[in-house]
Amino acid sequence: QVQLVESGGGLVQPGGSLRLSCAASGIIFSIYHMIWYRQLPGKQRELVASILSGGNTGYVDSVKGRFTISRDNAKNTVYLQMNSLKPEDTAVYYCNAQHLDSNYWGQGIQVTVSS
């Protein structure tokens, strides 16, 4: 059974930092592309950052220079380090794993940036 479990979310003040983690089980983690998405109420899910199985990374323009995605294949975990957080980063963040026709999602975790 495949599981993606996100952790590390919560409430943070503007300018603060959070690190999200997504622990995967039931898959050969190292061959999967790992992606972080986010979704605001009533809006479509947005790709935030991705890290391919080979390590290449990509970011949506709005988070470049502030967010860093990384992976630890030994721990089957992908991370999203979020710095200089803004209120507009408030959303539910989802972990996604993709490989060929396989596509798995975590349950999502709330990140709220507010003073």
Side-chain angles (χ1 to χ4, degrees), residues 34-93:
M34 300 300 298
I35 303 107
W36 285 98
Y37 287 83
R38 65 187 179 188
Q39 188 169 24
L40 279 72
K43 293 197 174 182
Q44 285 193 326
R45 203 166 285 189
E46 172 190 46
L47 190 153
V48 177
S50 62
I51 183 165
L52 304 185
S53 57
N56 287 351
T57 59
Y59 301 89
V60 67
D61 284 347
S62 60
V63 308
K64 284 181 181 177
R66 300 188 298 121
F67 290 12
T68 303
I69 189 171
S70 61
R71 66 191 296 161
D72 186 337
N73 289 340
K75 294 183 178 180
N76 289 356
T77 301
V78 61
Y79 304 97
L80 186 67
Q81 178 67 44
M82 304 185 293
N83 298 329
S84 301
L85 282 161
K86 304 175 181 179
E88 51 264 42
D89 296 316
T90 296
V92 177
Y93 284 72

Side-chain angles (χ1 to χ4, degrees), residues 8-30:
L11 173 64
V12 63
Q13 291 187 342
S17 298
L18 283 175
R19 188 175 81 153
L20 302 183
S21 300
C22 171
S25 59
I27 59 173
I28 304 172
F29 181 79
S30 61

